[in-house]
């Protein structure tokens, strides 16, 4: 064997060694890709029912939201009817009630002033009688 053939054999051996060293990671990478493909397939198979259930749930939620919209509309209707009824009652009964309240306030004020006037008149009468009694006592002495 000549030196060129030996060099060729060494180069061929190095190439085989290099291919073996590169083949091991490539095989591991191939297994990893197979596992990834399997995982993606399983996720796709499991996500289809989940998406179907989510679609059904969204449909039910939309129907319930329509009901809530109806309920909200009815509540707004009731609120406006109550407001209208309140204004009618206030217009019908408010004025007479205010007049009754004002009249009763006037009667209370008048009776209070009459009592105060009577109390002042009683006090003035007692003072006058006391002064007369003192004058009579002074004259008697």
């Amino acid at each position: 064997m000549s030196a060129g053939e030996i060099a060729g054999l060494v180069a061929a051996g190095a190439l085989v060694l290099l291919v073996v060293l590169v083949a091991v990671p490539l095989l591991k990478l191939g297994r990893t890709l197979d596992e990834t493909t399997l995982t993606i397939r399983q996720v796709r198979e499991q996500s289809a029912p989940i998406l179907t259930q989510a679609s059904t749930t969204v449909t039910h939620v939309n129907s319930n939201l329509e009901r809530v919209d109806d309920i909200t509309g009815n509540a707004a209707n009731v609120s406006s009817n109550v407001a209208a009824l309140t204004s009618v009652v206030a217009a019908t009964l408010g004025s007479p009630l205010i007049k009754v309240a004002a009249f009763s306030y006037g009667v209370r004020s008048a009776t209070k002033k009459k009592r105060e006037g009577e109390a002042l008149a009683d006090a003035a009468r007692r003072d006058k009688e006391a002064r007369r009694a003192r004058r009579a006592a002074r004259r008697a002495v």
Side-chain angles (χ1 to χ4, degrees):
M1 265 209 205
S2 71
E5 289 177 348
I6 294 176
L9 282 175
V10 170
L15 185 62
V16 168
L17 183 64
L18 180 65
V19 168
V20 169
L21 288 175
V22 169
V24 171
L26 283 176
L27 287 174
K28 288 184 179 180
L29 181 62
R31 285 186 200 137
T32 304
L33 287 176
D34 289 341
E35 288 294 323
T36 305
T37 304
L38 189 74
T39 303
I40 289 172
R41 186 176 301 128
Q42 288 174 350
V43 166
R44 187 183 64 218
E45 289 171 358
Q46 292 174 1
S47 66
I50 291 173
L51 291 176
T52 303
Q53 289 175 354
S55 174
T56 305
T57 302
V58 167
T59 303
H60 289 308
V61 166
N62 283 338
S63 66
N64 285 336
L65 282 176
E66 288 174 6
R67 288 183 200 153
V68 168
D69 285 342
D70 290 342
I71 291 169
T72 305
N74 291 338
N77 243 354
V78 167
S79 173
S80 65
N81 289 343
V82 167
L85 181 64
T86 303
S87 64
V88 167
V89 167
T92 304
L93 299 177
S95 179
L97 287 177
I98 290 172
K99 289 177 182 176
V100 167
F103 178 75
S104 65
Y105 175 75
V107 168
R108 280 190 312 234
S109 296
T111 55
K112 182 179 175 185
K113 287 182 181 180
K114 183 178 178 185
R115 281 190 220 131
E116 289 174 355
E118 288 174 358
L120 287 174
D122 286 343
R125 192 174 342 115
R126 279 187 302 232
D127 286 345
K128 191 174 184 182
E129 289 174 3
R131 279 183 281 169
R132 285 184 183 166
R134 281 187 293 221
R135 283 188 206 150
R138 276 189 249 153
R139 287 184 195 158
V141 179

